[in-house]
Amino acid sequence: SESPQPSEVEIDEASKAAEVEFDAQEYARNREAEYPSTGDQLDYIFHNGVAKWKTDMIEPVKAKYPKPS
């Protein structure tokens, strides 16, 4: 037997919920695009330490693209 199909209202609600979630994650996509490559970050940590990596590479990007509250 066939599974019941969602109604138009259920489809619209699911679509709107997906759009809201996608929009809420914009900051994360922006951060990911701006962070240096993993290799560059590891090289920076090797030469400068984790504390300097956080203040020089990570915190400026997080400040530029804050996580919504």
Side-chain angles (χ1 to χ4, degrees):
S1 91
E2 289 186 30
S3 299
Q5 298 298 311
S7 69
E8 287 293 322
V9 170
E10 291 170 323
I11 292 171
D12 288 344
E13 288 173 355
S15 177
K16 286 176 186 163
E19 187 175 337
V20 166
E21 179 62 22
F22 181 82
D23 291 346
Q25 293 299 314
E26 181 179 21
Y27 81 96
R29 292 188 304 278
N30 289 336
R31 286 181 182 181
E32 184 177 358
E34 188 132 346
Y35 286 135
S37 71
T38 301
D40 287 347
Q41 289 187 51
L42 290 172
D43 187 60
Y44 198 88
I45 290 168
F46 179 79
H47 291 287
N48 302 289
V50 172
K52 193 120 173 79
W53 163 76
K54 282 182 182 179
T55 59
D56 293 355
M57 292 186 132
I58 303 304
E59 290 174 3
V61 175
K62 284 187 172 190
K64 186 175 180 180
Y65 302 109
K67 184 175 184 177
S69 38

